[in-house]
């Protein structure tokens, strides 16, 4: 009797991992040739680990975790790094005539046949997550091979760094820099920090908002390392006394990666920070930003008004740009003219005119804004409001029938109004032009693969009670291979949206005390940062520690 194999979608629904509606929407969006599992992962309905466990059951193929797996490194000579990366597989061990390999897609028969022919072994496949395989390839293939000669070299003054040493694609320093960047991209890091210290150079990656030491290099490699990065970013390699900014565009494994480079002279040499802008990221959909229903409704109402200023506020690295771009993406259509002034232009959006600020030739935010107004725009986006001149032109633009979107650095939505007044903006102008303010922070998300329910502590129950909420259970990650033992994977945003109504505008115009504004905000059912955060803890998305790290309880 032949046993019919159940379809993947049905198995996932049976296991309670997705709903029937989610399955239908994924099947509707699936293009020909695309796998259902990939669509579900892309939409965030399931994690890779959950998919693998169901596939293991469906296909009868075991799954393997590569975290701390005892690899036989001699086998890596059988499969080249390029082939392993392209087909997402890695050799695990050999047993007589059998070669065991881990694959992201064990149904890839072409790859299996290729391997059988090229190695002469019988191939036994196991399933592993795509991230796991890429991390293992990155870690074990040609690790530090050829870097010994670099490590053994003596110090070289930066002026005498040989040109071919830092431009020849096969030279060790070029490969080292490529590996540092490639490691960071594999880990989904947002920044790479190269910190010169007295006796060493420390390389740290910021993953999910937290810095982690990646590797420590000897001090004498500092000059060639910074020279190589400067050459890639078209910076002046002879200038070490002033800060410099540049940009690197490279292709890593057929995937475009854009890096913003900033160098800063410190007492032990130049500190370099490379901000990774992943052009393949799909964070341009407002519905994926983590707004709760009420906040999403309010944000949509604000950006769909034809005039007024909408400000997004928060510290560096709190996802302000992503929210701005998501709003622009939503508003972008053939009927409207959208122009932006940015410093620098981070993501290029089709159908939007983006201007890069260049103070060296007098192209400042204010100058750019002035000239934009002669270009008949409907929507203007200003990268950042830094001075009185920029804010005044932005207000004038909004009063003459334009929608203006921008960012500003303040702690919360109400303190933004005081900050604008400090800049010298007249209260009546502010009251008549400002539509609303969005304060935003990013918090780490509990890893969905190792999340476990726990009873909240007494302190947590108190924190919730203070905000008028109750809490029965809290989700925490205990640490697994897919979250690198941290218990967190990925980040979500928490928001505070202040919509200015007529009463608030009157308080601003009359110059009354700002405590009045807070009371009106509470009356207007404003969800403050801490409240939105605690609601997300209640949904099991993050933890109380993460919320208290970014939002101050009153």
């Amino acid at each position: 009797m032949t046993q019919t194999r159940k379809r993947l979608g049905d198995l996932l629904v049976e296991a309670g991992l997705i709903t029937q509606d989610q399955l239908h929407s994924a099947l509707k969006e699936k293009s020909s040739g695309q796998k259902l599992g990939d669509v579900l992962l892309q939409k965030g309905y399931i994690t890779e680990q959950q998919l693998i466990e169901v596939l293991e059951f469906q296909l009868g193929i075991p799954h393997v975790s590569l975290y701390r797996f005892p690899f036989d490194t001699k086998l890596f000579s059988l499969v080249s790094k390029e082939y392993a990366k392209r087909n997402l597989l890695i050799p695990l061990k050999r047993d007589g005539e059998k070669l065991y390999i881990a694959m992201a897609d064990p149904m890839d028969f072409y790859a299996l046949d290729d391997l059988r022919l090229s190695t002469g072994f019988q191939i036994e496949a196991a399933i592993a997550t795509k991230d796991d395989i890429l991390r293992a390839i990155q870690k074990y293939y040609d690790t530090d091979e050829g870097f010994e000669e670099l490590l053994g070299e003596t110090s070289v003054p930066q002026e005498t760094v040989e040109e071919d040493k830092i431009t020849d694609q096969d030279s060790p320093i070029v490969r080292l820099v490529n590996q540092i960047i490639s490691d960071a991209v594999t880990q989904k890091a947002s920044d790479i920090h190269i910190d010169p210290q007295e006796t060493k150079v420390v390389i740290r990656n910021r993953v999910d908002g937290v810095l982690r030491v990646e590797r420590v290099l000897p001090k004498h490699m500092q000059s060639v390392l910074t020279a190589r990065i400067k050459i890639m970013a078209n910076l002046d390699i002879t200038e070490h006394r002033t800060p410099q900014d540049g940009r690197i565009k490279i292709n890593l494994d057929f995937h475009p990666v854009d890096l913003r480079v900033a160098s800063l002279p410190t007492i032990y040499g130049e500190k370099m920070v490379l901000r990774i802008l992943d052009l393949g990221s799909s964070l341009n959909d407002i519905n994926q930003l983590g707004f709760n229903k009420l906040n999403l409704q309010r944000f949509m109402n604000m950006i769909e008004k034809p005039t007024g200023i909408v400000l997004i506020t928060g510290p560096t690295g709190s996802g302000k740009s992503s929210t701005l771009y998501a709003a622009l993406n939503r508003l972008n259509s053939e009927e409207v003219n959208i122009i932006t002034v940015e410093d620098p232009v981070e993501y290029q959006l089709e159908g939007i005119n983006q201007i890069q600020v260049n103070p060296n030739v007098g192209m400042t935010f204010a100058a750019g804004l002035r000239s934009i107004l002669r270009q008949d725009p409907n929507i203007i986006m200003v990268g950042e409001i830094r001075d009185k001149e920029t804010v005044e032109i932005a207000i004038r633009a909004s009063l003459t029938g334009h929608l203006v979107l921008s960012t500003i650095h303040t702690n919360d939505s109400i303190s933004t109004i005081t900050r604008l007044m400090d800049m010298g903006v007249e209260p009546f102008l502010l009251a008549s032009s400002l539509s609303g303010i969005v304060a935003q922070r990013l918090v780490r998300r509990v890893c969905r693969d190792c999340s476990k329910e726990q009873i909240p502590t007494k302190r947590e129950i108190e924190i919730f009670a203070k905000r008028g909420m109750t809490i029965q259970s809290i989700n925490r990650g205990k640490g697994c291979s897919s979250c690198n033992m941290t218990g967190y994977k990925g980040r979500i945003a928490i928001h505070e949206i202040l919509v200015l109504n007529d009463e608030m505008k009157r308080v601003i115009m009359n110059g009354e005390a700002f405590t009045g504004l807070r009371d009106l905000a509470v009356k207007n059912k404003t969800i403050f940062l801490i409240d939105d955060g605690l609601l997300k803890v209640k949904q099991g998305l993050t933890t109380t520690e993460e919320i208290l790290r970014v939002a101050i309880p009153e």
Side-chain angles (χ1 to χ4, degrees):
M1 191 183 102
T2 57
Q3 184 190 1
T4 53
R5 213 166 54 201
K6 278 196 173 174
R7 290 183 310 184
L8 176 68
D10 299 335
L11 281 171
L12 287 165
V13 173
E14 266 176 43
L17 294 173
I18 57 171
T19 62
Q20 204 68 48
D21 295 345
Q22 288 175 328
L23 176 61
H24 289 317
S25 85
L27 287 168
K28 218 182 287 173
E29 283 190 27
K30 187 169 90 80
S31 57
S32 63
Q34 200 181 10
K35 296 193 182 76
L36 173 65
D38 290 343
V39 180
L40 292 167
L41 284 176
Q42 222 171 357
K43 294 178 81 66
Y45 292 156
I46 53 171
T47 69
E48 228 180 329
Q49 195 63 37
Q50 290 168 336
L51 175 65
I52 275 184
E53 281 162 15
V54 172
L55 279 175
E56 177 181 32
F57 177 72
Q58 187 199 20
L59 306 172
I61 295 174
H63 91 267
V64 58
S65 163
L66 304 181
Y67 187 78
R68 299 202 176 139
F69 189 87
F71 283 99
D72 180 353
T73 45
K74 292 191 201 76
L75 296 175
F76 292 162
S77 56
L78 294 173
V79 182
S80 72
K81 183 177 181 181
E82 281 64 41
Y83 187 82
K85 269 195 165 171
R86 197 169 57 243
N87 293 297
L88 293 174
L89 51 87
I90 190 167
L92 297 171
K93 60 178 183 180
R94 179 189 157 184
D95 185 3
E97 286 303 297
K98 284 184 182 167
L99 177 66
Y100 289 86
I101 56 163
M103 301 178 78
D105 177 12
M107 304 308 281
D108 184 350
F109 297 117
Y110 292 117
L112 288 168
D113 278 353
D114 267 1
L115 275 178
R116 198 172 58 245
L117 290 168
S118 64
T119 61
F121 287 103
Q122 279 178 295
I123 305 295
E124 289 283 330
I127 318 178
T129 64
K130 182 177 159 187
D131 283 353
D132 233 2
I133 291 175
L134 284 173
R135 257 201 304 260
I137 292 173
Q138 206 58 46
K139 193 169 170 188
Y140 295 105
Y141 266 91
D142 64 40
T143 43
D144 302 334
E145 156 217 335
F147 301 145
E148 287 78 16
E149 52 186 286
L150 256 186
L151 298 171
E153 282 175 6
T154 48
S155 178
V156 189
Q158 197 153 342
E159 289 73 13
T160 61
V161 170
E162 292 159 36
E163 188 74 20
D164 60 342
K165 193 184 271 186
I166 48 178
T167 51
D168 175 18
Q169 286 308 308
D170 289 328
S171 80
I173 188 66
V174 172
R175 294 214 318 277
L176 175 65
V177 171
N178 289 351
Q179 199 178 334
I180 289 171
I181 295 171
S182 166
D183 277 351
V185 172
T186 308
Q187 291 177 10
K188 297 189 170 57
S190 57
D191 305 83
I192 305 168
H193 289 242
I194 297 170
D195 297 329
Q197 293 178 7
E198 193 173 0
T199 55
K200 57 187 185 229
V201 181
V202 178
I203 293 170
R204 297 184 293 168
N205 289 351
R206 190 182 288 281
V207 181
D208 289 343
V210 180
L211 279 167
R212 271 210 306 261
V213 173
E214 211 42 50
R215 54 171 86 194
V216 177
L217 300 173
K219 182 72 176 169
H220 65 72
M221 285 175 65
Q222 184 180 322
S223 52
V224 274
L225 191 63
T226 45
R228 172 62 192 156
I229 293 170
K230 282 179 168 184
I231 279 198
M232 290 171 82
N234 287 327
L235 302 179
D236 180 356
I237 66 167
T238 58
E239 179 54 79
H240 325 297
R241 296 160 305 172
T242 56
Q244 296 185 67
D245 288 311
R247 201 166 190 150
I248 300 175
K249 271 194 166 144
I250 52 170
N251 262 344
L252 274 180
D253 309 316
F254 324 106
H255 176 73
V257 178
D258 206 348
L259 301 148
R260 255 170 49 197
V261 181
S263 79
L264 183 73
T266 70
I267 52 171
Y268 295 125
E270 284 171 286
K271 173 179 165 70
M272 313 281 283
V273 175
L274 288 73
R275 160 70 59 94
I276 301 170
L277 304 169
D278 188 357
L279 304 178
S281 75
S282 57
L283 252 190
N284 279 342
D285 180 3
I286 281 191
N287 300 317
Q288 289 180 356
L289 293 175
F291 281 107
N292 67 37
K293 281 201 184 89
L294 177 66
N295 277 346
L296 182 63
Q297 180 74 50
R298 288 180 167 178
F299 186 60
M300 297 303 285
N301 291 347
M302 272 163 27
I303 64 171
E304 279 165 3
K305 281 184 184 169
T307 64
I309 295 184
V310 176
L311 290 176
I312 299 179
T313 162
T316 6
S318 58
K320 298 188 296 293
S321 304
S322 297
T323 307
L324 268 185
Y325 282 119
L328 288 181
N329 222 21
R330 182 58 176 254
L331 300 168
N332 191 5
S333 70
E334 285 177 10
E335 293 86 54
V336 291
N337 177 18
I338 303 179
I339 307 185
T340 74
V341 204
E342 303 169 62
D343 178 24
V345 173
E346 290 189 19
Y347 299 97
Q348 278 107 17
L349 295 177
E350 206 176 326
I352 290 178
N353 311 290
Q354 293 170 284
I355 302 168
Q356 167 87 42
V357 167
N358 184 355
N360 301 336
V361 293
M363 180 64 179
T364 58
F365 276 123
L369 252 178
R370 272 203 198 90
S371 51
I372 283 179
L373 292 175
R374 301 186 206 109
Q375 293 277 332
D376 177 36
N378 302 84
I379 298 164
I380 298 168
M381 191 265 261
V382 186
E384 191 185 331
I385 286 181
R386 295 178 185 165
D387 50 38
K388 185 182 176 186
E389 196 180 4
T390 313
V391 74
E392 280 182 347
I393 303 166
I395 284 175
R396 235 169 282 152
S398 76
L399 291 175
T400 50
H402 305 92
L403 174 67
V404 181
L405 304 172
S406 187
T407 70
I408 188 167
H409 288 275
T410 56
N411 282 335
D412 59 13
S413 52
I414 293 173
S415 61
T416 305
I417 297 169
T418 19
R419 171 93 180 91
L420 288 169
M421 285 189 172
D422 277 349
M423 280 182 174
V425 180
E426 294 293 343
F428 66 90
L429 283 176
L430 199 56
S432 47
S433 62
L434 203 55
S435 301
I437 301 160
V438 181
Q440 175 171 322
R441 298 285 188 283
L442 287 178
V443 291
R444 290 186 292 169
R445 191 188 189 122
V446 172
C447 171
R448 284 158 67 179
D449 293 326
C450 60
S451 159
K452 287 274 178 289
E453 275 197 10
Q454 290 184 0
I455 298 166
T457 63
K458 194 171 164 211
R459 171 91 180 104
E460 282 173 325
I461 294 170
E462 277 171 21
I463 291 168
F464 274 84
K466 246 186 204 163
R467 308 299 301 174
M469 296 185 220
T470 56
I471 179 90
Q472 264 70 49
S473 68
I474 279 183
N475 283 18
R476 275 198 179 78
K478 64 178 195 302
C480 64
S481 61
S482 65
C483 63
N484 224 335
M485 293 300 162
T486 56
Y488 296 101
K489 189 172 186 190
R491 289 193 287 175
I492 46 168
I494 57 172
H495 302 93
E496 167 177 313
I497 296 189
L498 183 72
V499 181
L500 289 177
N501 57 18
D502 294 339
E503 286 179 79
M504 291 183 187
K505 289 184 175 181
R506 201 169 50 249
V507 168
I508 296 171
M509 285 204 351
N510 299 342
E512 292 171 28
F514 278 96
T515 44
L517 266 184
R518 189 165 191 89
D519 299 339
L520 287 172
V522 172
K523 192 171 140 193
N524 201 16
K525 294 194 168 57
T526 300
I527 300 171
F528 293 103
L529 269 177
I530 182 111
D531 299 327
D532 191 32
L534 294 178
L535 286 170
K536 289 195 163 81
V537 173
K538 229 174 158 171
Q539 291 165 5
L541 297 172
T542 183
T543 60
T544 327
E545 297 87 47
E546 276 296 296
I547 301 305
L548 297 182
R549 191 168 62 87
V550 296
I552 308 155
E554 286 141 40

